[in-house]
Amino acid sequence: MKTVTIEAKGISVSLDLAVGHIAAMAVKAGGRNLHPLHRAPWIDEPRETLPVDLPDGVLRLSGDFLCAPFSVADVEAAPLHGWPANSPWDLMESAAIEGGRQARFRLRRPVMGALVEKILTLRDGHPFLYQEHAFVGGHGAISVAHHAMTVMRDGGRLAFSPKRVAATGPDPLEPDPARGRFLLAYPARTHDLGAFPAAAGGTVDLADYSMDRRHEDFVTLVEADHDGPAWTAVARRAEKDLVLVLKNPAELPVTMLWLSNGGRDYAPWNGRHRGVLGIEDGRTAVGHAASLGDNWLKREGVPTAFELAEGRRVAFRQVIGAVPLESDEPPRSVTASHGRLRLDLAGGERRDLPFDDGFLRAGQPG
């Protein structure tokens, strides 16, 4: 595996150049090394032991990656989640910047005629990876999403910036009981994240990631109107840390949760892909054609693609971080200002973290 690693004081990130996935992320804090991101258990297994038809993005599933389009590529031919998640990237530049380090990468293949750029920035003493993706030129429109994944040995608790609705699609990910299982009802929706309709009746608390339920589920959360930033926080119980994922909701108005806890019984999953939570911030419906056409999100005023054009640069940003946390209760609120990210924790505790609060406001949705 060919990777490029960039480092700043207290943090390092490695990118797998074969597929553009973050292969590793480590944060040094409180005398510990925190590893907030997931790496699939089959990555180091011999290729001949794995199914022959797996996309490269599944073979090397790790960390976070760009989906463009998100899900099925049924407008311009590409594997699941598009070429940015399944084909090589080149390092264009890696250099010191004031107070940190920055690396620029370019996808070898165009997407809808556009050049695709990835810019990773680390800052000394900041427990965060600052990511920007950009499409330069091109034609038509593209749906996009990040695919950040964390993993828990003993589950955890989730918290979110305000959402106005949570909804599942018409069909579960694993409808065949011979291949897997699911927990949530399909289709279903609710305004109460603590009471999502369950397939077997009753409700499920989306804030509770419990390891004793083996299932594969996918649910879309739509951001409510608020001052931002938008955020997802995961208090990992066994790891005793807090994973944070932040975005600008004007750029990426939906957060899709992939709950992958032993719910697939076929290779390479084999019931062993457990405790994984995908936090997939996007501007998309499920599938490229669906994102460009009529869909339930558009009908509710939510954009599901970026418009591309020659001479135009369309960019969007996301932040991933981790800090130690002894409690298994995530923050009640997360706010950013004056170079700090403030976490309001249980029991009235407040914690301030160094944070580039201008970063998420710098992109330009199109």
Side-chain angles (χ1 to χ4, degrees), residues 14 41 49 110 179 248 252 313 360 365:
S14 300
T49 66
R179 290 169 59 84
N248 179 343
L252 305 174
R313 183 179 189 272
L360 290 175

Side-chain angles (χ1 to χ4, degrees), residues 102-167:
Q102 185 175 84
R104 296 173 177 265
F105 304 86
R106 180 175 295 164
L107 183 68
R108 290 183 188 175
R109 289 176 176 266
V111 173
M112 299 296 289
L115 292 175
V116 185
E117 299 177 341
K118 181 190 300 283
I119 304 169
L120 305 183
T121 304
L122 303 179
R123 300 195 174 278
D124 293 338
H126 289 215
F128 299 107
L129 164 64
Y130 301 94
Q131 296 192 77
E132 177 179 298
H133 286 97
F135 293 79
V136 181
H139 53 82
I142 187 68
S143 64
V144 303
H146 281 271
H147 203 287
M149 296 170 289
T150 191
V151 63
M152 294 161 272
R153 295 194 306 273
D154 189 31
R157 294 284 300 173
L158 285 61
F160 309 94
S161 53
K163 310 297 185 210
R164 59 182 165 100
V165 69

Side-chain angles (χ1 to χ4, degrees), residues 69-70 72-76 143 285-295 298:
F70 179 78
V72 179
D74 49 6
V75 173
E76 182 179 66
S143 64
V286 178
H288 196 177
S291 298
L292 304 188
D294 182 41
N295 60 67
K298 276 187 181 179

